[in-house]
Amino acid sequence: MAPKFSQVLSVTRQAPELIVPARPTPRELKQLSDIDDQESFRFHIPVIFLYKNKSASSPPVLKEKDPVNVIKEAISEALVYYYPFAGRLIEGILFLEAEANFKLEQLGGAIQSPCPYLEQLTYNVPGSEGILGCPLLLIQVTRLMCGGFTLAIRFNHTMCDASGLVQFVKTIEEMARGANTLSIFPVWQWERLCARNPPQVTSVHLEYEEINNNSDTFITTNPNEMDHKSFYFGPKEVRVLKNQLPLHLRNCSTFELLAACMWRCRTIALQLDPKDTVQFSCLVTARAKDYKMDIPSGYYGNAVAFPAVHSKVGALCNNPLGYAVALVKKAKAEMSEEHIRSAADLMEVKGRRPRHAIKGNYIVSDLSKVPKRRWGDWDSHTYTFAGAEYEEI
């Protein structure tokens, strides 16, 4: 669906400001775990939440009802508990206040990934994108003409994974509602995922091994020239795909099915040499009870690994979908307590903190199980916030 507008959409930002914890916090050095401190997580990643105004009244205009002011104050309170997010040489996180000249409904299908307005709704302040000596968090709240707003967060991935970020955002929400205490207190026990002494690399870690192919397709292909699209798979589409699988694979999860389908289709579209090798890897959380790692509920660091499998291009493209599904299931089955501890040990043994494989690697993250965010009393995804009702999109 194309966006329903004719005028140019624009966002006007105020000058960036630093938000510091509302009260004094410890002055100390914090060490990252060996899982956090790997090259694969040394980048900033943007996330955007969109909220529609559901109130029958006009958009809130009073300062105490303005989502920008409420969120700013809530962030400052949340940083009292999550003070490592405010850490670096200069304390604080970057915050931007912005006004948009459009309504949420005018975006239409543009809110799907890849969002063409990403750079307007989350601004990379010049000089803030480094890993060392730069803010670990950048937050932009943009008011929309309809009374809704967007909350954009750019975070340094070495600090947390998706579950950890949601935990932090939930604390902001609780502070915005005036809570006197937290439902979940943050836990900094990074030693739980540090290398053993002595380190013991007991698993095969294909995810950190670059593939050497004779073809140079992955070297010469410019990622900026590749097409980016969003695809919707509802119950009907999933059912059609599962009907293509042999009976023993039809109990696969929706993630396994769609990841395998997209990996196979993408490989076919790239028209690679059939003799080349490609890789699939997926982020798997260690928080699952199956792995018995005893990760506390308040832990917000990276608790993930990305086990991998290989396939020849010809086999992946020419075999039925079930071949790819079986490989995806095999990759997920590689995940265990020993696998992630072995990965932490590998970081220590290598010393240079290896990055996950790039060339020929199709890496997928499943965010469908990430908890929903709550900004007040929900009623069928509707909540009251800053004196008005909002619905999360």
Side-chain angles (χ1 to χ4, degrees):
M1 181 174 64
K4 299 177 180 179
F5 59 86
S6 56
Q7 79 272 23
V8 176
L9 303 191
S10 65
V11 169
T12 304
R13 302 184 188 88
Q14 302 294 327
E17 59 183 293
L18 280 177
I19 297 183
V20 300
R23 293 177 292 283
T25 57
R27 310 283 296 184
E28 58 189 2
L29 293 176
K30 290 289 191 181
Q31 181 176 344
L32 296 174
S33 76
D34 288 295
I35 294 299
D36 293 318
D37 192 24
Q38 55 180 302
E39 188 68 25
S40 302
F41 291 141
R42 293 183 182 180
F43 67 99
H44 296 268
I45 184 169
V47 180
I48 298 179
F49 307 132
L50 301 101
Y51 299 93
K52 180 191 298 182
N53 186 5
K54 296 288 288 183
S55 176
S57 61
S58 59
V61 294
L62 297 178
K63 180 178 180 181
E64 61 270 19
K65 294 184 178 181
D66 183 355
V68 170
N69 291 291
V70 175
I71 292 174
K72 283 171 62 176
E73 294 176 5
I75 291 171
S76 184
E77 290 290 340
L79 288 175
V80 173
Y81 303 95
Y82 288 84
Y83 62 90
F85 275 128
R88 60 188 177 113
L89 295 179
I90 302 176
E91 186 181 53
I93 70 169
L94 274 179
F95 183 89
L96 293 103
E97 172 185 345
E99 297 273 358
N101 73 338
F102 55 86
K103 301 177 181 179
L104 183 58
E105 63 187 24
Q106 290 178 270
L107 295 178
I111 64 175
Q112 299 176 354
S113 180
C115 176
Y117 309 108
L118 179 65
E119 293 183 359
Q120 296 193 60
L121 298 176
T122 178
Y123 178 55
N124 287 328
V125 176
S128 70
E129 299 180 68
I131 299 300
L132 300 176
C134 289
L136 300 173
L137 280 176
L138 184 151
I139 297 178
Q140 176 177 321
V141 178
T142 305
R143 302 182 192 89
L144 306 178
M145 290 180 64
C146 56
F149 66 94
T150 67
L151 171 65
I153 301 177
R154 192 199 71 191
F155 67 99
N156 186 318
H157 209 328
T158 62
M159 288 295 293
C160 64
D161 55 17
S163 295
L165 177 67
V166 168
Q167 182 179 309
F168 172 66
V169 173
K170 183 177 181 181
T171 298
I172 298 176
E173 296 161 353
E174 291 174 344
M175 296 297 100
R177 297 199 308 269
N180 294 320
T181 187
L182 306 185
S183 58
I184 300 177
F185 280 84
V187 174
W188 186 287
Q189 295 181 1
W190 265 230
E191 68 277 2
R192 289 177 177 269
L193 290 173
C194 282
R196 295 170 286 200
N197 187 16
Q200 307 165 48
V201 181
T202 55
S203 298
V204 176
H205 294 282
L206 296 177
E207 59 268 34
Y208 296 107
E209 298 178 6
E210 286 290 354
I211 299 172
N212 294 316
N213 287 318
N214 294 326
S215 171
D216 62 353
T217 301
F218 288 109
I219 300 176
T220 58
T221 300
N222 184 349
N224 297 322
E225 295 178 354
M226 299 182 72
D227 205 6
H228 296 259
K229 297 288 184 182
S230 290
F231 298 92
Y232 174 76
F233 290 85
K236 178 181 177 181
E237 290 81 4
V238 170
R239 186 167 58 250
V240 169
L241 289 175
K242 281 198 172 184
N243 286 340
Q244 299 181 32
L245 302 179
L247 292 177
H248 71 281
L249 289 176
R250 291 188 183 181
N251 65 343
C252 68
S253 68
T254 301
F255 168 77
E256 291 165 345
L257 177 69
L258 298 184
C261 177
M262 299 308 296
W263 180 35
R264 181 173 179 269
C265 290
R266 175 180 181 271
T267 305
I268 293 173
L270 289 173
Q271 299 180 347
L272 304 173
D273 187 329
K275 298 177 182 177
D276 279 353
T277 299
V278 288
Q279 176 172 293
F280 172 88
S281 54
C282 56
L283 273 73
V284 183
T285 180
R287 290 179 168 86
K289 294 181 179 179
D290 296 345
Y291 303 129
K292 301 178 181 179
M293 293 198 63
D294 194 28
I295 303 293
S297 60
Y299 187 86
Y300 59 102
N302 289 283
V304 295
F306 23 88
V309 290
H310 286 175
S311 173
K312 290 295 183 183
V313 170
L316 180 61
C317 297
N318 297 325
N319 276 300
L321 178 60
Y323 173 84
V325 170
L327 284 177
V328 170
K329 290 175 70 70
K330 180 181 178 182
K332 288 180 61 180
E334 291 291 323
M335 178 59 174
S336 65
E337 176 184 0
E338 184 57 33
H339 185 91
I340 194 169
R341 296 205 182 282
S342 176
D345 292 346
L346 181 68
M347 300 299 116
E348 181 70 17
V349 170
K350 293 287 188 180
R352 58 182 177 83
R353 306 291 176 181
R355 181 184 178 90
H356 63 73
I358 301 296
K359 293 181 294 184
N361 186 15
Y362 184 65
I363 185 167
V364 182
S365 179
D366 179 12
L367 300 180
S368 63
K369 302 297 190 296
V370 173
K372 292 287 185 181
R373 286 136 322 266
R374 294 177 177 268
W375 287 81
D377 297 327
W378 285 73
D379 178 14
S380 184
H381 299 291
T382 300
Y383 63 93
T384 301
F385 170 72
E389 278 193 333
Y390 291 89
E391 178 183 13
E392 184 184 52
I393 304 299

